[in-house]
Amino acid sequence: MKRMQRTLFLLAFCALLWPGGQAFAQGVTTGSLAGTVVNAEGAPVEGASVIAIHLPSGTTYEATSRADGRFQIIGMRVGGPYSVTVAHAGTGNAFEPQTKDDVTVNLGVSTDLEFKVTPITLTESVTVTGTVDPVFASDRTGAATQISREEIATLPNISARIESVARLTPQSGGGLSFGGVDNRLNNITIDGAAFNNSFGLAGSPGDRTGVAPISLNAIEQVQINIAPYDVRQGNFIGAGVNSVTRSGTNQFRGSLYHQLRDDSLVGTEAGDNEFDPGTFEFRNTGGWLSGPILRNKLFFFGNFEDELESRPATNFRANSGGETVGGSVTRVLRSDLDALSSFLSSNFNYETGGYQDYPGEIPARRFLIKSDFNLNNNNKFTARYSQLDSETFQLASNSSSLGFGSRRTNTNALNFQNSNYSILENIKGGSGEWNSVWGSSIANNLVIGYSSHDESRGPLETLFPLVDILQSGTTYTTFGSEPFTPNNELRYKQLQIRNDLTKFGEKHSFVFGASYQKYNSENVFFPGSQSAYVYNSLADFYTDANDYLANPNRTTSPVTIRRFQVRWANIPGMEKPLQPLEVQYYGAYAQDDWRPRSDLTVTLGVRMDVPVFDETGFENPIANARTVRDEDGHAVQYQTQKLPD
């Protein structure tokens, strides 16, 4: 009992005592204003009207100070400048309006303001410039970094991905790893909606092809949370990486750009030795446009980019005969490869492609469109759709589980171009957000998001058996379809709904929220369905191939084939082994920000998340009937179709 009491005390203490206002740490789409209105003697002013205007768009937000003089406005557009005015015309308590200009609202934190007002009998009005350092925001709930639009636009970067600006976080360990934690344990959100590589083959969207899923030119602000204790933040162990995209204003604005990068910075010498690294090229053509549809009411922002990176697929080349093997010169004779390619084209109608001096290309096309609608001062709606179509070139796999392996180009081996493969990364996603204010003390935030990901291998133009040909016991050359590419498919989708309701009181701000997420994936991995052959020499291959051409119905081969493999699915009626997975996540949480005094806030919260797995495993009656022993030696039976509780 004493241990439990100590534990509860420690948990309560670790809820943290933090100076200042409301703990607004949702941090995924909006910012907030918080502050106090006091008179010349420092006494709180109740009933003061606070009006914040986002000057570029004319968007207006309102609040009223409470008995303790405090006010909060949440769900605000990030950025600025804002003009914030406090006025009061109450009987016996009227004062001159006071305005703070050039106020900036930062993503996921509160901009803190203090108004000290004087009675209306004084005719002098005061205009004050309001500034804020987000590092010391009163509602900060743990280590976090804010990255503004100006910083995003001016920081140098090569990849044009969010990692380029995330390095501003002190805990950054490179890429999107923070505090030494695997980047797959982050939670990435765009405009409030989850935007993760949920299957886990990569750390974040865009990693599979190495491109940006959303252009940095379309990002307004980024917030990186390392260890927040706000119950609304969850689903990560590494960091919460929150981004909000740009919005239109009352001015039409836009930009067109064409970015180029060549190989002038690629080295061509190694010591005294000259080296030809091949041709490296990069270009990105794009632009963005924003503006009003209805002034002060309806706005749009759009961005489009068409990108292509090209680099040598391999620097190795065939031996023209008599050349010394080493560097980029292989032992593989040019004459052997030319003769083999011609033989396959003439007799099997199979085109091998080249074997050297061909590019590896990474094309990417992305676009984003966003609309903001100010229904009225109390209701704001935002909708976004974005899409990425990309693929990346990959050399043939070296795995020996099919064929001989070690087939990727080196000084011993040189494979043909059409034995390589590509990986797709096509992402479609969107989100909708509704921020509303009910009366003077209740605010609500509803976010609905959806994303669809396709990370399958790229389609093969021709399906042909893989053939590894050896020389002196090691791979010499390879042709045919890469063995792990046919029916290598991965698609997954996510639907997310989250709602947060905030109730403001004199000394308490209550948050009640619920979240729901549905995830489903389809994964197909069916390697070797086209078969794989391994021959000990080119001579053995030619002998076997010519014998087959002379007698296609033969039952024996004149040579010993070193290895033959073929795989098939033995489940009746199944074209390919597709494994589905369906999971539903339910979450509920509540939080109280209690202010027992003006310079002290106590945050207490509780959250519960429950995953529910559908029974999508394949039933194997033979395995289900077997009895095995558990870790305690007890006899148990397991059901192959059952997933975790």
Side-chain angles (χ1 to χ4, degrees), residues 345-475:
S345 177
S346 300
N347 295 284
F348 292 94
N349 197 31
Y350 174 71
E351 301 300 327
T352 62
Y355 48 81
Q356 65 186 34
D357 298 329
Y358 57 89
E361 295 186 337
I362 307 174
R365 181 172 294 176
R366 52 185 162 262
F367 70 88
L368 177 147
I369 186 166
K370 182 180 180 181
S371 177
D372 295 84
F373 186 19
N374 298 331
L375 284 77
N376 51 50
N377 286 351
N378 294 328
N379 292 275
K380 314 288 193 298
F381 181 76
T382 299
R384 169 194 56 86
Y385 177 81
S386 60
Q387 182 170 325
L388 169 70
D389 297 312
S390 65
E391 64 178 301
T392 182
F393 170 88
Q394 298 287 325
L395 290 172
S397 167
N398 268 333
S399 174
S400 60
S401 59
L402 283 166
F404 187 79
S406 299
R407 63 184 65 89
R408 190 172 294 177
T409 52
N410 53 57
T411 54
N412 287 324
L414 201 59
N415 69 279
F416 285 94
Q417 180 179 4
N418 289 345
S419 295
N420 302 317
Y421 66 97
S422 65
I423 296 177
L424 305 179
E425 186 158 23
N426 299 328
I427 305 173
K428 300 176 181 179
S431 64
E433 180 179 15
W434 179 20
N435 284 290
S436 58
V437 177
W438 306 338
S440 61
S441 63
I442 297 178
N444 194 75
N445 172 255
L446 172 65
V447 175
I448 300 176
Y450 177 81
S451 64
S452 172
H453 302 244
D454 186 352
E455 298 177 14
S456 305
R457 295 273 182 102
L460 297 172
E461 293 183 5
T462 303
L463 191 62
F464 197 81
L466 172 83
V467 179
D468 284 333
I469 296 175
L470 312 185
Q471 186 180 90
S472 302
T474 59
T475 307

Side-chain angles (χ1 to χ4, degrees), residues 62 76 113 169 172 180 200 210 284 368 472 484-485 574 579 587 608:
E62 298 180 0
M76 302 178 69
L113 302 175
T169 303
S172 173
N284 182 27
L368 177 147
S472 302
F484 304 97
T485 296
M574 176 177 286
Q579 174 59 66
M608 179 176 68

Side-chain angles (χ1 to χ4, degrees), residues 18 34 110 118 122 143 166 176 221 234 237 250 315 322 362 364 392 437 610 622 631:
W18 206 265
S110 173
T118 54
L122 299 179
L176 281 182
Q221 283 194 21
I237 297 174
N250 280 327
N315 287 314
I362 307 174
T392 182
V437 177
V610 179
I622 297 176
E631 63 272 19

